Structure formats: structure tokens, C-alpha cells
PDB file of all heavy atoms in Angstrom:
ATOM      1  N   MET A  71     -39.378  80.668  43.976  1.00 53.00           N
ATOM      2  CA  MET A  71     -38.066  81.325  44.096  1.00 53.00           C
ATOM      3  C   MET A  71     -37.348  80.782  45.302  1.00 53.00           C
ATOM      4  O   MET A  71     -37.958  80.387  46.285  1.00 53.00           O
ATOM      5  CB  MET A  71     -38.238  82.845  44.249  1.00 53.00           C
ATOM      6  CG  MET A  71     -38.726  83.543  43.015  1.00 53.00           C
ATOM      7  SD  MET A  71     -38.829  85.309  43.243  1.00 53.00           S
ATOM      8  CE  MET A  71     -37.209  85.716  43.846  1.00 53.00           C
ATOM      9  N   LYS A  72     -36.064  80.785  45.238  1.00 56.00           N
ATOM     10  CA  LYS A  72     -35.262  80.382  46.376  1.00 56.00           C
ATOM     11  C   LYS A  72     -35.305  81.487  47.427  1.00 56.00           C
ATOM     12  O   LYS A  72     -35.031  82.626  47.130  1.00 56.00           O
ATOM     13  CB  LYS A  72     -33.824  80.109  45.982  1.00 56.00           C
ATOM     14  CG  LYS A  72     -33.621  78.914  45.092  1.00 56.00           C
ATOM     15  CD  LYS A  72     -33.585  77.691  45.923  1.00 56.00           C
ATOM     16  CE  LYS A  72     -33.248  76.490  45.017  1.00 56.00           C
ATOM     17  NZ  LYS A  72     -33.285  75.281  45.738  1.00 56.00           N
ATOM     18  N   GLU A  73     -35.683  81.084  48.647  1.00 58.00           N
ATOM     19  CA  GLU A  73     -35.615  82.020  49.766  1.00 58.00           C
ATOM     20  C   GLU A  73     -34.324  81.725  50.499  1.00 58.00           C
ATOM     21  O   GLU A  73     -33.838  80.587  50.493  1.00 58.00           O
ATOM     22  CB  GLU A  73     -36.802  81.805  50.691  1.00 58.00           C
ATOM     23  CG  GLU A  73     -38.132  82.128  50.038  1.00 58.00           C
ATOM     24  CD  GLU A  73     -39.311  81.822  50.937  1.00 58.00           C
ATOM     25  OE1 GLU A  73     -39.087  81.415  52.099  1.00 58.00           O
ATOM     26  OE2 GLU A  73     -40.436  82.003  50.505  1.00 58.00           O
ATOM     27  N   PRO A  74     -33.766  82.722  51.142  1.00 62.00           N
ATOM     28  CA  PRO A  74     -32.522  82.467  51.865  1.00 62.00           C
ATOM     29  C   PRO A  74     -32.757  81.472  52.994  1.00 62.00           C
ATOM     30  O   PRO A  74     -33.782  81.488  53.640  1.00 62.00           O
ATOM     31  CB  PRO A  74     -32.125  83.843  52.421  1.00 62.00           C
ATOM     32  CG  PRO A  74     -33.333  84.696  52.294  1.00 62.00           C
ATOM     33  CD  PRO A  74     -34.197  84.093  51.260  1.00 62.00           C
ATOM     34  N   ARG A  75     -31.794  80.567  53.142  1.00 68.00           N
ATOM     35  CA  ARG A  75     -31.891  79.585  54.219  1.00 68.00           C
ATOM     36  C   ARG A  75     -31.666  80.248  55.567  1.00 68.00           C
ATOM     37  O   ARG A  75     -30.787  81.101  55.702  1.00 68.00           O
ATOM     38  CB  ARG A  75     -30.836  78.516  54.060  1.00 68.00           C
ATOM     39  CG  ARG A  75     -31.160  77.493  53.066  1.00 68.00           C
ATOM     40  CD  ARG A  75     -30.148  76.375  53.191  1.00 68.00           C
ATOM     41  NE  ARG A  75     -30.208  75.552  52.005  1.00 68.00           N
ATOM     42  CZ  ARG A  75     -29.384  74.556  51.776  1.00 68.00           C
ATOM     43  NH1 ARG A  75     -28.443  74.283  52.625  1.00 68.00           N
ATOM     44  NH2 ARG A  75     -29.506  73.856  50.700  1.00 68.00           N
ATOM     45  N   ARG A  76     -32.434  79.803  56.511  1.00 74.00           N
ATOM     46  CA  ARG A  76     -32.250  80.269  57.872  1.00 74.00           C
ATOM     47  C   ARG A  76     -31.284  79.318  58.539  1.00 74.00           C
ATOM     48  O   ARG A  76     -31.425  78.105  58.454  1.00 74.00           O
ATOM     49  CB  ARG A  76     -33.571  80.255  58.629  1.00 74.00           C
ATOM     50  CG  ARG A  76     -33.455  80.772  60.059  1.00 74.00           C
ATOM     51  CD  ARG A  76     -34.771  80.660  60.784  1.00 74.00           C
ATOM     52  NE  ARG A  76     -35.117  79.284  61.127  1.00 74.00           N
ATOM     53  CZ  ARG A  76     -34.633  78.611  62.167  1.00 74.00           C
ATOM     54  NH1 ARG A  76     -33.766  79.177  62.960  1.00 74.00           N
ATOM     55  NH2 ARG A  76     -35.029  77.386  62.407  1.00 74.00           N
ATOM     56  N   MET A  77     -30.241  79.877  59.132  1.00 84.00           N
ATOM     57  CA  MET A  77     -29.263  79.045  59.821  1.00 84.00           C
ATOM     58  C   MET A  77     -29.878  78.452  61.072  1.00 84.00           C
ATOM     59  O   MET A  77     -30.609  79.129  61.783  1.00 84.00           O
ATOM     60  CB  MET A  77     -28.036  79.879  60.188  1.00 84.00           C
ATOM     61  CG  MET A  77     -27.254  80.413  58.978  1.00 84.00           C
ATOM     62  SD  MET A  77     -26.573  79.111  57.959  1.00 84.00           S
ATOM     63  CE  MET A  77     -25.349  78.499  59.036  1.00 84.00           C
ATOM     64  N   LYS A  78     -29.602  77.185  61.322  1.00 80.00           N
ATOM     65  CA  LYS A  78     -30.121  76.531  62.520  1.00 80.00           C
ATOM     66  C   LYS A  78     -29.282  76.939  63.724  1.00 80.00           C
ATOM     67  O   LYS A  78     -28.059  77.099  63.628  1.00 80.00           O
ATOM     68  CB  LYS A  78     -30.052  75.014  62.358  1.00 80.00           C
ATOM     69  CG  LYS A  78     -31.009  74.503  61.326  1.00 80.00           C
ATOM     70  CD  LYS A  78     -30.943  73.007  61.236  1.00 80.00           C
ATOM     71  CE  LYS A  78     -31.856  72.508  60.161  1.00 80.00           C
ATOM     72  NZ  LYS A  78     -31.844  71.062  60.051  1.00 80.00           N
ATOM     73  N   THR A  79     -29.959  77.069  64.836  1.00 86.00           N
ATOM     74  CA  THR A  79     -29.244  77.398  66.057  1.00 86.00           C
ATOM     75  C   THR A  79     -28.563  76.139  66.595  1.00 86.00           C
ATOM     76  O   THR A  79     -28.874  75.004  66.159  1.00 86.00           O
ATOM     77  CB  THR A  79     -30.201  77.926  67.134  1.00 86.00           C
ATOM     78  OG1 THR A  79     -31.132  76.884  67.489  1.00 86.00           O
ATOM     79  CG2 THR A  79     -30.970  79.154  66.649  1.00 86.00           C
ATOM     80  N   ILE A  80     -27.679  76.303  67.517  1.00 89.00           N
ATOM     81  CA  ILE A  80     -26.978  75.172  68.118  1.00 89.00           C
ATOM     82  C   ILE A  80     -27.992  74.277  68.831  1.00 89.00           C
ATOM     83  O   ILE A  80     -27.915  73.059  68.753  1.00 89.00           O
ATOM     84  CB  ILE A  80     -25.886  75.656  69.095  1.00 89.00           C
ATOM     85  CG1 ILE A  80     -24.779  76.363  68.307  1.00 89.00           C
ATOM     86  CG2 ILE A  80     -25.333  74.503  69.901  1.00 89.00           C
ATOM     87  CD1 ILE A  80     -23.728  77.031  69.153  1.00 89.00           C
ATOM     88  N   ALA A  81     -28.977  74.886  69.469  1.00 86.00           N
ATOM     89  CA  ALA A  81     -30.001  74.116  70.171  1.00 86.00           C
ATOM     90  C   ALA A  81     -30.816  73.265  69.193  1.00 86.00           C
ATOM     91  O   ALA A  81     -31.143  72.108  69.478  1.00 86.00           O
ATOM     92  CB  ALA A  81     -30.923  75.040  70.957  1.00 86.00           C
ATOM     93  N   GLU A  82     -31.152  73.818  68.028  1.00 84.00           N
ATOM     94  CA  GLU A  82     -31.911  73.077  67.025  1.00 84.00           C
ATOM     95  C   GLU A  82     -31.100  71.906  66.500  1.00 84.00           C
ATOM     96  O   GLU A  82     -31.614  70.783  66.308  1.00 84.00           O
ATOM     97  CB  GLU A  82     -32.324  73.993  65.881  1.00 84.00           C
ATOM     98  CG  GLU A  82     -33.417  74.958  66.227  1.00 84.00           C
ATOM     99  CD  GLU A  82     -33.656  76.008  65.147  1.00 84.00           C
ATOM    100  OE1 GLU A  82     -32.720  76.371  64.432  1.00 84.00           O
ATOM    101  OE2 GLU A  82     -34.804  76.467  65.033  1.00 84.00           O
ATOM    102  N   ARG A  83     -29.817  72.142  66.252  1.00 88.00           N
ATOM    103  CA  ARG A  83     -28.952  71.061  65.795  1.00 88.00           C
ATOM    104  C   ARG A  83     -28.802  69.976  66.849  1.00 88.00           C
ATOM    105  O   ARG A  83     -28.790  68.782  66.532  1.00 88.00           O
ATOM    106  CB  ARG A  83     -27.569  71.595  65.437  1.00 88.00           C
ATOM    107  CG  ARG A  83     -27.571  72.412  64.166  1.00 88.00           C
ATOM    108  CD  ARG A  83     -26.194  72.878  63.842  1.00 88.00           C
ATOM    109  NE  ARG A  83     -26.213  73.734  62.665  1.00 88.00           N
ATOM    110  CZ  ARG A  83     -25.145  74.292  62.156  1.00 88.00           C
ATOM    111  NH1 ARG A  83     -23.954  74.043  62.670  1.00 88.00           N
ATOM    112  NH2 ARG A  83     -25.234  75.084  61.109  1.00 88.00           N
ATOM    113  N   ALA A  84     -28.725  70.362  68.106  1.00 89.00           N
ATOM    114  CA  ALA A  84     -28.605  69.411  69.188  1.00 89.00           C
ATOM    115  C   ALA A  84     -29.869  68.566  69.300  1.00 89.00           C
ATOM    116  O   ALA A  84     -29.803  67.356  69.482  1.00 89.00           O
ATOM    117  CB  ALA A  84     -28.341  70.120  70.517  1.00 89.00           C
ATOM    118  N   ARG A  85     -31.057  69.199  69.150  1.00 87.00           N
ATOM    119  CA  ARG A  85     -32.314  68.457  69.191  1.00 87.00           C
ATOM    120  C   ARG A  85     -32.408  67.490  68.018  1.00 87.00           C
ATOM    121  O   ARG A  85     -32.852  66.364  68.186  1.00 87.00           O
ATOM    122  CB  ARG A  85     -33.489  69.408  69.206  1.00 87.00           C
ATOM    123  CG  ARG A  85     -33.774  70.015  70.585  1.00 87.00           C
ATOM    124  CD  ARG A  85     -35.110  70.749  70.635  1.00 87.00           C
ATOM    125  NE  ARG A  85     -35.117  71.935  69.813  1.00 87.00           N
ATOM    126  CZ  ARG A  85     -34.752  73.156  70.246  1.00 87.00           C
ATOM    127  NH1 ARG A  85     -34.361  73.320  71.489  1.00 87.00           N
ATOM    128  NH2 ARG A  85     -34.800  74.206  69.429  1.00 87.00           N
ATOM    129  N   GLU A  86     -31.989  67.918  66.827  1.00 88.00           N
ATOM    130  CA  GLU A  86     -31.977  67.014  65.673  1.00 88.00           C
ATOM    131  C   GLU A  86     -31.068  65.819  65.895  1.00 88.00           C
ATOM    132  O   GLU A  86     -31.413  64.696  65.581  1.00 88.00           O
ATOM    133  CB  GLU A  86     -31.567  67.768  64.409  1.00 88.00           C
ATOM    134  CG  GLU A  86     -32.648  68.617  63.798  1.00 88.00           C
ATOM    135  CD  GLU A  86     -32.187  69.294  62.529  1.00 88.00           C
ATOM    136  OE1 GLU A  86     -31.097  68.957  61.987  1.00 88.00           O
ATOM    137  OE2 GLU A  86     -32.925  70.186  62.044  1.00 88.00           O
ATOM    138  N   SER A  87     -29.900  66.089  66.452  1.00 90.00           N
ATOM    139  CA  SER A  87     -28.948  65.018  66.724  1.00 90.00           C
ATOM    140  C   SER A  87     -29.520  64.040  67.748  1.00 90.00           C
ATOM    141  O   SER A  87     -29.391  62.813  67.602  1.00 90.00           O
ATOM    142  CB  SER A  87     -27.644  65.636  67.242  1.00 90.00           C
ATOM    143  OG  SER A  87     -26.746  64.615  67.646  1.00 90.00           O
ATOM    144  N   CYS A  88     -30.171  64.559  68.765  1.00 92.00           N
ATOM    145  CA  CYS A  88     -30.766  63.723  69.800  1.00 92.00           C
ATOM    146  C   CYS A  88     -31.902  62.882  69.208  1.00 92.00           C
ATOM    147  O   CYS A  88     -32.004  61.687  69.490  1.00 92.00           O
ATOM    148  CB  CYS A  88     -31.284  64.620  70.912  1.00 92.00           C
ATOM    149  SG  CYS A  88     -31.891  63.680  72.321  1.00 92.00           S
ATOM    150  N   LEU A  89     -32.736  63.495  68.372  1.00 89.00           N
ATOM    151  CA  LEU A  89     -33.823  62.756  67.731  1.00 89.00           C
ATOM    152  C   LEU A  89     -33.268  61.626  66.857  1.00 89.00           C
ATOM    153  O   LEU A  89     -33.773  60.509  66.866  1.00 89.00           O
ATOM    154  CB  LEU A  89     -34.693  63.696  66.903  1.00 89.00           C
ATOM    155  CG  LEU A  89     -35.867  63.047  66.149  1.00 89.00           C
ATOM    156  CD1 LEU A  89     -36.808  62.383  67.119  1.00 89.00           C
ATOM    157  CD2 LEU A  89     -36.573  64.081  65.300  1.00 89.00           C
ATOM    158  N   THR A  90     -32.186  61.919  66.138  1.00 91.00           N
ATOM    159  CA  THR A  90     -31.556  60.896  65.301  1.00 91.00           C
ATOM    160  C   THR A  90     -31.057  59.744  66.156  1.00 91.00           C
ATOM    161  O   THR A  90     -31.244  58.556  65.818  1.00 91.00           O
ATOM    162  CB  THR A  90     -30.391  61.504  64.484  1.00 91.00           C
ATOM    163  OG1 THR A  90     -30.921  62.545  63.656  1.00 91.00           O
ATOM    164  CG2 THR A  90     -29.663  60.481  63.655  1.00 91.00           C
ATOM    165  N   ARG A  91     -30.439  60.052  67.270  1.00 94.00           N
ATOM    166  CA  ARG A  91     -29.916  59.010  68.173  1.00 94.00           C
ATOM    167  C   ARG A  91     -31.061  58.165  68.730  1.00 94.00           C
ATOM    168  O   ARG A  91     -30.965  56.941  68.822  1.00 94.00           O
ATOM    169  CB  ARG A  91     -29.088  59.652  69.302  1.00 94.00           C
ATOM    170  CG  ARG A  91     -28.475  58.636  70.201  1.00 94.00           C
ATOM    171  CD  ARG A  91     -27.448  57.772  69.468  1.00 94.00           C
ATOM    172  NE  ARG A  91     -27.114  56.625  70.262  1.00 94.00           N
ATOM    173  CZ  ARG A  91     -27.245  55.351  69.835  1.00 94.00           C
ATOM    174  NH1 ARG A  91     -27.585  55.118  68.606  1.00 94.00           N
ATOM    175  NH2 ARG A  91     -26.962  54.363  70.627  1.00 94.00           N
ATOM    176  N   LEU A  92     -32.155  58.816  69.121  1.00 93.00           N
ATOM    177  CA  LEU A  92     -33.305  58.086  69.678  1.00 93.00           C
ATOM    178  C   LEU A  92     -33.953  57.219  68.604  1.00 93.00           C
ATOM    179  O   LEU A  92     -34.437  56.108  68.899  1.00 93.00           O
ATOM    180  CB  LEU A  92     -34.323  59.045  70.291  1.00 93.00           C
ATOM    181  CG  LEU A  92     -33.848  59.750  71.574  1.00 93.00           C
ATOM    182  CD1 LEU A  92     -34.851  60.818  72.008  1.00 93.00           C
ATOM    183  CD2 LEU A  92     -33.589  58.761  72.691  1.00 93.00           C
ATOM    184  N   LEU A  93     -33.938  57.682  67.369  1.00 93.00           N
ATOM    185  CA  LEU A  93     -34.431  56.873  66.243  1.00 93.00           C
ATOM    186  C   LEU A  93     -33.574  55.618  66.085  1.00 93.00           C
ATOM    187  O   LEU A  93     -34.093  54.522  65.869  1.00 93.00           O
ATOM    188  CB  LEU A  93     -34.353  57.681  64.944  1.00 93.00           C
ATOM    189  CG  LEU A  93     -35.630  58.304  64.448  1.00 93.00           C
ATOM    190  CD1 LEU A  93     -35.340  59.337  63.385  1.00 93.00           C
ATOM    191  CD2 LEU A  93     -36.581  57.272  63.926  1.00 93.00           C
ATOM    192  N   GLU A  94     -32.266  55.766  66.178  1.00 94.00           N
ATOM    193  CA  GLU A  94     -31.354  54.634  66.066  1.00 94.00           C
ATOM    194  C   GLU A  94     -31.605  53.637  67.188  1.00 94.00           C
ATOM    195  O   GLU A  94     -31.608  52.412  66.970  1.00 94.00           O
ATOM    196  CB  GLU A  94     -29.891  55.090  66.117  1.00 94.00           C
ATOM    197  CG  GLU A  94     -29.459  55.886  64.898  1.00 94.00           C
ATOM    198  CD  GLU A  94     -28.106  56.555  65.089  1.00 94.00           C
ATOM    199  OE1 GLU A  94     -27.488  56.410  66.154  1.00 94.00           O
ATOM    200  OE2 GLU A  94     -27.668  57.214  64.128  1.00 94.00           O
ATOM    201  N   ILE A  95     -31.826  54.139  68.394  1.00 94.00           N
ATOM    202  CA  ILE A  95     -32.088  53.272  69.548  1.00 94.00           C
ATOM    203  C   ILE A  95     -33.370  52.502  69.347  1.00 94.00           C
ATOM    204  O   ILE A  95     -33.441  51.285  69.586  1.00 94.00           O
ATOM    205  CB  ILE A  95     -32.094  54.096  70.856  1.00 94.00           C
ATOM    206  CG1 ILE A  95     -30.685  54.553  71.211  1.00 94.00           C
ATOM    207  CG2 ILE A  95     -32.714  53.263  71.998  1.00 94.00           C
ATOM    208  CD1 ILE A  95     -30.620  55.545  72.356  1.00 94.00           C
ATOM    209  N   LEU A  96     -34.430  53.165  68.896  1.00 93.00           N
ATOM    210  CA  LEU A  96     -35.692  52.494  68.662  1.00 93.00           C
ATOM    211  C   LEU A  96     -35.556  51.412  67.562  1.00 93.00           C
ATOM    212  O   LEU A  96     -36.090  50.316  67.700  1.00 93.00           O
ATOM    213  CB  LEU A  96     -36.797  53.504  68.300  1.00 93.00           C
ATOM    214  CG  LEU A  96     -38.185  52.938  68.023  1.00 93.00           C
ATOM    215  CD1 LEU A  96     -38.692  52.067  69.179  1.00 93.00           C
ATOM    216  CD2 LEU A  96     -39.168  54.073  67.736  1.00 93.00           C
ATOM    217  N   THR A  97     -34.823  51.746  66.516  1.00 94.00           N
ATOM    218  CA  THR A  97     -34.590  50.764  65.449  1.00 94.00           C
ATOM    219  C   THR A  97     -33.870  49.534  65.999  1.00 94.00           C
ATOM    220  O   THR A  97     -34.258  48.406  65.708  1.00 94.00           O
ATOM    221  CB  THR A  97     -33.770  51.422  64.307  1.00 94.00           C
ATOM    222  OG1 THR A  97     -34.456  52.549  63.800  1.00 94.00           O
ATOM    223  CG2 THR A  97     -33.506  50.427  63.185  1.00 94.00           C
ATOM    224  N   GLN A  98     -32.833  49.758  66.803  1.00 94.00           N
ATOM    225  CA  GLN A  98     -32.093  48.627  67.397  1.00 94.00           C
ATOM    226  C   GLN A  98     -32.968  47.857  68.366  1.00 94.00           C
ATOM    227  O   GLN A  98     -32.894  46.604  68.404  1.00 94.00           O
ATOM    228  CB  GLN A  98     -30.844  49.143  68.093  1.00 94.00           C
ATOM    229  CG  GLN A  98     -29.810  49.703  67.156  1.00 94.00           C
ATOM    230  CD  GLN A  98     -28.675  50.380  67.890  1.00 94.00           C
ATOM    231  OE1 GLN A  98     -28.498  50.230  69.096  1.00 94.00           O
ATOM    232  NE2 GLN A  98     -27.853  51.146  67.165  1.00 94.00           N
ATOM    233  N   LEU A  99     -33.802  48.553  69.115  1.00 92.00           N
ATOM    234  CA  LEU A  99     -34.693  47.903  70.078  1.00 92.00           C
ATOM    235  C   LEU A  99     -35.661  46.950  69.368  1.00 92.00           C
ATOM    236  O   LEU A  99     -35.858  45.803  69.777  1.00 92.00           O
ATOM    237  CB  LEU A  99     -35.453  48.966  70.883  1.00 92.00           C
ATOM    238  CG  LEU A  99     -36.494  48.455  71.868  1.00 92.00           C
ATOM    239  CD1 LEU A  99     -35.846  47.622  72.948  1.00 92.00           C
ATOM    240  CD2 LEU A  99     -37.241  49.627  72.485  1.00 92.00           C
ATOM    241  N   ILE A 100     -36.266  47.441  68.281  1.00 91.00           N
ATOM    242  CA  ILE A 100     -37.191  46.611  67.518  1.00 91.00           C
ATOM    243  C   ILE A 100     -36.460  45.387  66.953  1.00 91.00           C
ATOM    244  O   ILE A 100     -36.961  44.274  67.012  1.00 91.00           O
ATOM    245  CB  ILE A 100     -37.840  47.446  66.385  1.00 91.00           C
ATOM    246  CG1 ILE A 100     -38.807  48.454  66.994  1.00 91.00           C
ATOM    247  CG2 ILE A 100     -38.568  46.540  65.399  1.00 91.00           C
ATOM    248  CD1 ILE A 100     -39.332  49.487  66.013  1.00 91.00           C
ATOM    249  N   SER A 101     -35.232  45.605  66.477  1.00 91.00           N
ATOM    250  CA  SER A 101     -34.449  44.488  65.941  1.00 91.00           C
ATOM    251  C   SER A 101     -34.153  43.444  67.003  1.00 91.00           C
ATOM    252  O   SER A 101     -34.258  42.248  66.760  1.00 91.00           O
ATOM    253  CB  SER A 101     -33.132  45.038  65.360  1.00 91.00           C
ATOM    254  OG  SER A 101     -32.294  43.994  64.971  1.00 91.00           O
ATOM    255  N   VAL A 102     -33.790  43.885  68.196  1.00 90.00           N
ATOM    256  CA  VAL A 102     -33.502  42.977  69.308  1.00 90.00           C
ATOM    257  C   VAL A 102     -34.739  42.153  69.650  1.00 90.00           C
ATOM    258  O   VAL A 102     -34.671  40.930  69.817  1.00 90.00           O
ATOM    259  CB  VAL A 102     -33.010  43.758  70.547  1.00 90.00           C
ATOM    260  CG1 VAL A 102     -32.992  42.877  71.793  1.00 90.00           C
ATOM    261  CG2 VAL A 102     -31.634  44.363  70.302  1.00 90.00           C
ATOM    262  N   GLU A 103     -35.884  42.815  69.742  1.00 86.00           N
ATOM    263  CA  GLU A 103     -37.119  42.107  70.090  1.00 86.00           C
ATOM    264  C   GLU A 103     -37.501  41.104  69.000  1.00 86.00           C
ATOM    265  O   GLU A 103     -37.895  39.969  69.311  1.00 86.00           O
ATOM    266  CB  GLU A 103     -38.248  43.110  70.268  1.00 86.00           C
ATOM    267  CG  GLU A 103     -38.096  43.942  71.524  1.00 86.00           C
ATOM    268  CD  GLU A 103     -39.235  44.943  71.649  1.00 86.00           C
ATOM    269  OE1 GLU A 103     -40.359  44.504  71.960  1.00 86.00           O
ATOM    270  OE2 GLU A 103     -38.991  46.138  71.441  1.00 86.00           O
TER     271      GLU A 103
END
């Protein structure tokens, strides 16, 4: 059954955004090397 979604807090969204940015940096770093 579908359970109601829990809304993410601003802090959780900020951490996800930061993780995404760090992932992009690591991808670019590997490409540069």
C-alpha cells in the first residue's frame, strides 16, 4: 500500500544537494586525472 510521503526538511534537502555537488566534483576530478 502507498504510505504517505514524509516531507524532507530543509536540512535534508541541503545535505542531498551538497552530496550531489560533491559527486559532480569527484566525477570531474576523475575525468581530469
Side-chain angles (χ1 to χ4, degrees):
M71 289 183 52
K72 292 278 185 184
E73 294 176 3
R75 281 190 196 175
R76 181 184 72 81
M77 296 297 291
K78 292 181 182 181
T79 64
I80 293 173
E82 288 171 329
R83 288 182 184 180
R85 282 190 291 271
E86 282 182 10
S87 174
C88 185
L89 179 60
T90 299
R91 183 65 195 124
L92 292 173
L93 259 166
E94 291 169 0
I95 289 171
L96 180 54
T97 302
Q98 292 172 14
L99 176 63
I100 291 170
S101 173
V102 167
E103 290 179 71

